[in-house]
Amino acid sequence: MQSSFKLRDNSAVTIVNSLPTQTQLNAFYLRELGEPQNYLSVPKSDEYYDIHLIEDAWNDFEQSLIDTATFPQNYSEFINWYHELHSLHTKEVSSFFNWLANEATLEELGFYIAMEEQVDGRFDDVIALAQLGLTGDMKLALAENYWDEMGLGKEAEMHTVLFNESAKKLSALLDNGVLIPNPPTEALKNGNLLLMYSLRRQYHPRLLGALAILEHTAPYRFSKTVKAMERLNLSEDIIYYHEMHIKIDANHGKQLLQRVLLPLLKHNPEIMKEICIGCLTRYNIAIEYYKSIRISIS
């Protein structure tokens, strides 16, 4: 099949890191996750060729930033490696989140929350897809995570509902709302990575690694966000979603590590590289994402 993309040449890095390409990927993924009544909009088979070329080039680029020689070689080494990455992640984003907690204006906080919608909007679907293929207690660990996302069976407590309500109420406090017709490339990459990993089954181990480090580092980010909201005297109904995730995500991160990643690696050490790539790629993209928000605001 003749492709309209030429991603095997030196322009690949520029293309996959461009706003048009990441926007294209995001639109494609959302069509794949479309509601039942939108079944006619689901991508057709001949559309996947170009998308897969883009995804291959993107993954090649992200892997080029990672030194696989430093990866842990066994189960015991992974535990130390993972905890070191967790600590490094917090250290790398601390400047941004200390600024958010202590200095950001209401408008700047609103911009950050608007960017977070790029990830949070379909996070429940990502967790649902992450469960596929797992068995036993590993599947239960993700199922418990998913049930939390579902508000423990209460529609009003579903996390996507709570987040959307919080973001809407925060936006209403601003003079002109927070209208971002074209999110920065880094924000789209931050959301697209999880969507790609969850929709392409060959990246299942990477998805589990990315989710673990995302959930495990989330309580720090939420605690700083809550501090910013309290400093700005926002109402409890705006703060509630963010405050609840300080404890919830701490548990999710712990469960993903202890009940999913470690059992997988203990019995299937051959997937060590894939899980580590998922952890580090999420780390790299998240760091660039937070930098981009600060640059966009200033």
Side-chain angles (χ1 to χ4, degrees), residues 75 78-79 82-83 130-131 133-148 204 208-209 212 216 248 250-268 271 275:
Y75 173 89
F78 176 81
I79 298 175
Y82 178 89
H83 285 301
Q131 299 175 69
L134 294 178
T135 58
D137 188 59
M138 291 184 291
K139 199 177 193 80
L140 288 175
L142 263 297
E144 290 168 15
N145 190 322
Y146 181 70
W147 193 233
D148 282 340
H204 195 188
L208 297 175
H216 226 156
I248 288 177
N251 182 56
H252 288 172
K254 179 181 178 181
Q255 300 303 318
L256 282 165
L257 176 63
Q258 297 292 336
R259 296 171 60 190
V260 180
L261 295 191
L262 294 184
L264 267 177
L265 289 169
K266 188 173 184 178
H267 299 289
N268 306 277
I271 66 170
I275 287 178

Side-chain angles (χ1 to χ4, degrees), residues 226-257:
V226 168
K227 184 175 180 180
M229 291 180 166
E230 291 175 340
R231 175 176 57 81
L232 294 166
N233 297 314
L234 299 186
S235 60
E236 180 56 34
D237 56 350
I238 294 177
I239 297 175
Y240 174 65
Y241 166 85
H242 305 272
E243 188 171 40
M244 72 186 292
H245 275 73
I246 297 173
K247 291 184 178 180
I248 288 177
D249 283 350
N251 182 56
H252 288 172
K254 179 181 178 181
Q255 300 303 318
L256 282 165
L257 176 63

Side-chain angles (χ1 to χ4, degrees), residues 10 44 71 169 266 281 297:
N10 293 331
K44 305 299 187 292
F71 281 0
K169 290 174 181 177
K266 188 173 184 178
T281 302
I297 291 173

Side-chain angles (χ1 to χ4, degrees), residues 23-80:
T23 300
Q24 178 187 3
L25 286 176
N26 189 256
F28 192 87
Y29 296 148
L30 294 182
R31 287 170 61 204
E32 288 189 274
L33 293 171
E35 297 176 348
Q37 64 269 28
N38 295 326
Y39 70 98
L40 292 177
S41 298
V42 173
K44 305 299 187 292
S45 58
D46 61 354
E47 296 181 67
Y48 279 88
Y49 184 74
D50 283 343
I51 294 298
H52 287 165
L53 278 181
I54 295 171
E55 291 173 343
D56 288 346
W58 185 16
N59 279 286
D60 286 347
F61 167 72
E62 297 299 340
Q63 285 178 239
S64 73
L65 305 178
I66 294 172
D67 182 7
T68 59
T70 64
F71 281 0
Q73 299 301 305
N74 55 54
Y75 173 89
S76 297
E77 288 183 8
F78 176 81
I79 298 175
N80 293 330

Side-chain angles (χ1 to χ4, degrees), residues 141-286:
L142 263 297
E144 290 168 15
N145 190 322
Y146 181 70
W147 193 233
D148 282 340
E149 293 293 327
M150 293 295 100
L152 303 179
K154 298 178 181 179
E155 184 177 358
E157 292 290 311
M158 289 173 64
H159 289 189
T160 52
V161 172
L162 290 174
F163 182 82
N164 290 338
E165 287 299 313
S166 174
K168 186 185 301 182
K169 290 174 181 177
L170 174 56
S171 180
L173 297 177
L174 306 176
D175 290 339
N176 299 311
V178 180
L179 301 177
I180 308 172
N182 293 308
T185 305
E186 293 81 3
L188 286 173
K189 287 180 67 176
N190 195 41
N192 284 345
L193 182 75
L194 295 180
L195 293 174
M196 175 176 64
Y197 279 177
S198 60
L199 288 165
R200 307 291 173 252
R201 297 302 297 160
Q202 68 267 35
Y203 298 127
H204 195 188
R206 298 187 186 190
L207 173 64
L208 297 175
L211 284 175
I213 201 68
L214 182 156
E215 296 267 35
H216 226 156
T217 57
Y220 172 77
R221 300 192 296 276
F222 278 111
S223 67
K224 294 296 186 180
T225 304
V226 168
K227 184 175 180 180
M229 291 180 166
E230 291 175 340
R231 175 176 57 81
L232 294 166
N233 297 314
L234 299 186
S235 60
E236 180 56 34
D237 56 350
I238 294 177
I239 297 175
Y240 174 65
Y241 166 85
H242 305 272
E243 188 171 40
M244 72 186 292
H245 275 73
I246 297 173
K247 291 184 178 180
I248 288 177
D249 283 350
N251 182 56
H252 288 172
K254 179 181 178 181
Q255 300 303 318
L256 282 165
L257 176 63
Q258 297 292 336
R259 296 171 60 190
V260 180
L261 295 191
L262 294 184
L264 267 177
L265 289 169
K266 188 173 184 178
H267 299 289
N268 306 277
E270 69 276 6
I271 66 170
M272 176 81 70
K273 179 180 177 181
E274 288 297 299
I275 287 178
C276 289
I277 288 174
C279 289
L280 272 175
T281 302
R282 160 63 196 177
Y283 164 82
N284 285 334
I285 286 179

